[in-house]
């Protein structure tokens, strides 16, 4: 899920065609995983088939005119075709999520046999092609039934239901899945869905939302997400880990954060933004409690961990999943007493500049990515990291020549390699996205895919873009990133592919 519209954005263009010295895949550690990613609601389609019931995203996406995931890429029926494309590209791993309502239609209780078989078949297909499955349990799409019954993530009841859902997944798929992410983008989910109301289930305090409280709900939800993650992690370690030998982590949306000026105010504001945006989840996971600055500013609106909860959350992630796209520039804000408190007014950021608001041009700040990995090493004891999403959004149009995306990917992989050489324990990289998807914020107008999907074609034909050809060459070791001629790739693509 790409949450670029979560900010008021201004134009700061930074172009980059390369970032590192020449490198190939052989410069990475031998066990490093390169893959690509999707999520259930954005890829599967088949929204009303074989026992699946609505998630909050079904409800939310049908409330506007941006499109929905009723059909999406039809991955539910075309998964074998897509896995074949992955294998041809040389992917070592594929990240996908499990639809809670496809597996357990009522949110709790009976397992849906057809949903269970779909995921078993998908995992088997991946394994048969030598592709490592990386499974996310919650990618923004929890059951509408639980939202209706008790308010979903604003109620602690969901911790028990989520843990039961996780238990089914571990039991049924864990012999073949060694990498589990419990919650996708925990920080952005809590902010976007419960402070701004721009993603499902759409809670906020403005007239655009029919329910919600922007001053309290994001913090309540963030707290419950951490407790649910810790509960699922504890279950996995006690019941499954010794036999299945897997790893479990939580992911967050990670921005490079840099002061807009060298003023003391902007430097302090940047550190505060790091505490709010990253430390909110990372401090409890690594040290057992929220950042002190956050506790001071939010006060009684910020939930408190009991001693037992603190111990359960601390150390509950074997790794941290990172979703990263851009670096932003931070200036300090002046408090506006008339504004109702919310996450962003609490954080106190006046302006965040983030590349280009449409993301249709080559906007690259790989130094911010490298700096973030260094920040993780210095501030959070250098945890194992999987980069679960990274990529460039462009207009979804009938062109396969996405050279800007190739340049972006080159620069960010190079920045990641620099961080690894400097000691970062980064272990995997997943491009978003494997193919063009239904984007949760932007619908079908913009896309990130390595493969173009013709959504006007009843067969939803997939066609490789230049970026797919580049990634294939990189993965098979034939591309030297700095010296590779993109124009040659373009000629090869034009000769072999057409829409």
């Amino acid at each position: 899920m790409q949450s670029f519209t979560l900010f008021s954005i201004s134009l700061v263009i930074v172009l980059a065609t390369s970032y590192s010295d020449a490198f190939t895949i052989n410069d990475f550690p031998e066990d490093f995983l390169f893959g690509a990613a999707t999520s259930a609601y954005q890829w599967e389609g088949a929204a009303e088939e074989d026992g699946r019931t609505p998630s909050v995203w079904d409800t939310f996406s049908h409330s506007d005119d941006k499109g929905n995931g009723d059909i999406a890429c039809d991955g539910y029926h075309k998964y074998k075709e897509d896995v074949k494309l992955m294998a041809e590209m040389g992917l070592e791993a594929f990240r996908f999520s499990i639809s809670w309502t496809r597996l357990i239609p009522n949110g709790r209780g009976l397992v849906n046999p057809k949903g269970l078989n779909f995921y078993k078949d998908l995992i088997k297909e991946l394994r048969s092609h030598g592709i490592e499955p990386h499974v996310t349990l919650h990618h923004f799409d929890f059951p509408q039934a639980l939202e209706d019954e008790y308010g979903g993530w604003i109620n602690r009841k969901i911790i028990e239901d989520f843990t039961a859902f996780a238990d089914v997944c571990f039991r049924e798929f864990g012999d073949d899945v060694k990498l589990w992410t419990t919650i996708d983008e925990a920080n952005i989910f809590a902010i976007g869905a419960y402070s701004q109301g721009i993603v499902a289930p759409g809670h906020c305090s403005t007239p655009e939302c029919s329910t919600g409280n922007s001053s309290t709900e994001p913090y309540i939800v963030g707290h419950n997400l951490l407790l649910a993650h810790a509960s699922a992690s504890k279950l996995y370690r006690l019941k499954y880990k010794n036999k299945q030998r897997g790893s479990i982590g939580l992911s967050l949306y990670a921005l490079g954060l840099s002061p807009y000026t060298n003023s003391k105010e902007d430097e302090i504001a940047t550190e505060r933004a790091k505490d709010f945006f990253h430390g909110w989840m990372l401090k409890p996971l690594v040290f057992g409690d929220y950042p002190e600055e956050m506790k001071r500013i939010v006060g009684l609106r910020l939930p408190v961990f009991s001693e037992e909860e603190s111990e359960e959350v601390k150390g509950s992630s074997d790794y941290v999943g990172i979703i990263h796209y851009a670096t932003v520039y931070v200036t300090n804000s002046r408090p506006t007493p008339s504004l109702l408190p919310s996450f962003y007014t609490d954080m106190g950021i006046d302006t965040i500049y983030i590349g280009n608001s449409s993301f249709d041009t080559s906007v690259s700040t790989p130094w911010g990515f490298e700096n973030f990995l260094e920040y993780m090493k210095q501030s959070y004891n250098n945890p194992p990291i999987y980069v679960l999403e990274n990529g460039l959004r462009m207009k979804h149009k009938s062109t396969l020549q996405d050279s800007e995306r190739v340049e972006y990917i080159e620069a960010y992989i190079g920045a990641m390699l620099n961080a690894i050489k400097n000691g970062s324990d980064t272990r995997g990289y997943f491009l978003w996205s494997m193919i063009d998807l239904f984007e949760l914020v932007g619908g079908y107008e913009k896309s990130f895919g390595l493969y173009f999907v013709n959504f006007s074609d009843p067969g939803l034909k997939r066609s490789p873009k230049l970026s797919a050809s580049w990634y294939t060459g990189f993965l098979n070791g034939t591309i030297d990133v700095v010296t590779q001629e993109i124009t040659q790739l373009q000629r090869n693509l034009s000769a072999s592919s057409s829409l």
Side-chain angles (χ1 to χ4, degrees):
M1 201 305 254
Q2 283 61 50
S3 305
F4 301 119
T5 56
L6 294 177
F7 305 100
S8 175
I9 301 169
S10 297
L11 181 65
V12 175
I13 298 292
V14 183
L15 298 174
T17 57
S18 65
Y19 186 73
S20 174
D21 293 333
F23 64 89
T24 71
I25 192 171
N26 297 320
D27 292 300
F28 284 84
E30 188 176 350
D31 58 352
F32 193 92
L33 279 180
F34 278 99
T38 64
S39 83
Y41 187 70
Q42 298 174 264
W43 174 61
E44 289 178 7
E48 298 181 357
E49 290 188 40
D50 293 342
R52 183 188 180 275
T53 60
S55 74
V56 291
W57 261 103
D58 292 272
T59 304
F60 190 79
S61 64
H62 280 269
S63 67
D64 60 33
D65 59 358
K66 293 180 181 177
N68 56 66
D70 289 359
I71 299 173
C73 309
D74 199 24
Y76 187 73
H77 297 109
K78 297 172 74 70
Y79 72 92
K80 288 188 178 181
E81 177 184 338
D82 287 347
V83 172
K84 184 180 178 183
L85 295 177
M86 297 175 210
E88 291 172 353
M89 199 175 356
L91 290 193
E92 299 168 340
F94 176 57
R95 178 187 175 228
F96 62 97
S97 69
I98 291 176
S99 168
W100 190 340
T101 61
R102 193 180 296 285
L103 189 64
I104 306 175
N106 294 324
R108 69 166 74 88
L110 295 177
V111 174
N112 175 20
K114 291 185 177 180
L116 179 66
N117 288 336
F118 167 70
Y119 291 112
K120 285 192 171 183
D121 290 345
L122 171 59
I123 291 167
K124 180 181 178 182
E125 192 73 13
L126 290 165
R127 283 289 188 190
S128 71
H129 286 83
I131 300 169
E132 185 82 20
H134 187 135
V135 174
T136 298
L137 295 176
H138 181 276
H139 197 114
F140 285 53
D141 58 342
F142 67 94
Q144 183 65 44
L146 302 186
E147 173 75 5
D148 293 340
E149 180 184 341
Y150 54 68
W153 282 105
I154 63 174
N155 193 313
R156 289 174 68 106
K157 289 180 181 179
I158 202 167
I159 297 169
E160 180 179 352
D161 287 334
F162 177 77
T163 305
F165 163 55
D167 194 9
V168 172
C169 294
F170 299 150
R171 182 184 72 230
E172 298 292 343
F173 314 126
D175 288 342
D176 293 307
V177 176
K178 306 306 175 190
L179 291 166
W180 296 96
T181 296
T182 53
I183 309 291
D184 178 72
E185 297 184 13
N187 52 348
I188 282 294
F189 173 64
I191 300 165
Y194 295 92
S195 181
Q196 294 182 305
I198 63 172
V199 297
H203 289 211
C204 69
S205 297
T206 67
E208 287 75 26
C209 298
S210 60
T211 186
N213 185 326
S214 298
S215 67
T216 59
E217 284 191 5
Y219 301 114
I220 293 168
V221 169
H223 198 72
N224 289 340
L225 291 169
L226 286 166
L227 294 177
H229 159 78
S231 176
S233 178
K234 181 179 180 181
L235 170 75
Y236 184 75
R237 291 172 175 180
L238 289 175
K239 192 174 177 181
Y240 297 102
K241 190 176 179 71
N242 285 341
K243 178 177 180 290
Q244 296 178 355
R245 305 289 181 181
S247 298
I248 189 165
L250 177 138
S251 89
L252 72 152
Y253 191 94
L255 285 167
L257 293 166
S258 183
Y260 187 53
T261 72
N262 59 4
S263 70
K264 190 66 175 177
E265 274 196 338
D266 283 0
E267 289 177 3
I268 292 172
T270 302
E271 292 306 308
R272 187 169 63 250
K274 289 178 181 178
D275 275 345
F276 268 78
F277 208 76
H278 304 134
W280 181 21
M281 301 293 162
L282 289 171
K283 285 276 188 178
L285 288 176
V286 178
F287 302 111
D289 200 5
Y290 295 117
E292 291 300 319
E293 183 73 349
M294 203 172 180
K295 291 195 288 186
R296 182 186 69 80
I297 292 171
V298 181
L300 296 176
R301 291 179 288 122
L302 186 66
V304 176
F305 292 108
S306 69
E307 186 174 339
E308 181 182 358
E309 289 170 345
S310 176
E311 286 302 311
E312 284 195 4
V313 172
K314 182 180 178 181
S316 59
S317 275
D318 298 319
Y319 64 87
V320 176
I322 295 302
I323 282 74
H324 177 87
Y325 292 92
T327 291
V328 300
Y329 298 87
V330 178
T331 63
N332 188 53
S333 73
R334 303 289 182 227
T336 306
S338 61
L339 286 179
L340 178 74
S342 67
F343 183 86
Y344 284 116
T345 61
D346 289 338
M347 186 164 58
I349 300 304
D350 186 38
T351 307
I352 298 181
Y353 299 82
I354 181 170
N356 181 286
S357 60
S358 66
F359 273 73
D360 292 331
T361 58
S362 179
V363 180
S364 185
T365 53
W367 54 268
F369 183 32
E370 182 177 352
N371 287 349
F372 179 82
L373 295 175
E374 179 67 20
Y375 159 76
M376 291 291 292
K377 185 182 77 172
Q378 297 289 347
S379 300
Y380 293 101
N381 299 336
N382 200 20
I385 288 173
Y386 286 90
V387 180
L388 297 180
E389 293 182 25
N390 177 244
L392 183 69
R393 180 172 70 167
M394 299 174 68
K395 287 181 179 178
H396 182 266
K397 53 188 178 181
S398 56
T399 179
L400 304 179
Q401 308 294 337
D402 59 343
S403 56
E404 296 99 332
R405 181 173 288 119
V406 172
E407 292 169 358
Y408 176 100
I409 296 167
E410 286 179 342
Y412 278 73
I413 291 178
M416 179 175 62
L417 179 59
N418 287 348
I420 292 169
K421 288 178 177 179
N422 200 35
S424 171
D425 191 9
T426 302
R427 301 182 180 186
Y429 175 87
F430 292 77
L431 271 170
W432 187 273
S433 53
M434 165 58 200
I435 64 175
D436 291 343
L437 304 170
F438 168 69
E439 288 298 332
L440 295 185
V441 172
Y444 294 101
E445 292 184 1
K446 306 291 175 64
S447 65
F448 291 76
L450 298 170
Y451 278 79
F452 178 85
V453 177
N454 185 349
F455 292 109
S456 300
D457 172 26
L460 296 169
K461 181 183 177 183
R462 281 87 155 120
S463 302
K465 301 178 187 177
L466 178 68
S467 54
S469 299
W470 181 89
Y471 206 33
T472 300
F474 176 72
L475 293 175
N476 67 30
T478 61
I479 283 184
D480 180 316
V481 167
V482 171
T483 61
Q484 173 66 26
E485 291 275 351
I486 290 179
T487 54
Q488 183 59 48
L489 273 176
Q490 290 171 325
R491 292 189 203 106
N492 294 345
L493 185 67
S494 298
S496 63
S497 304
S498 61
L499 286 179

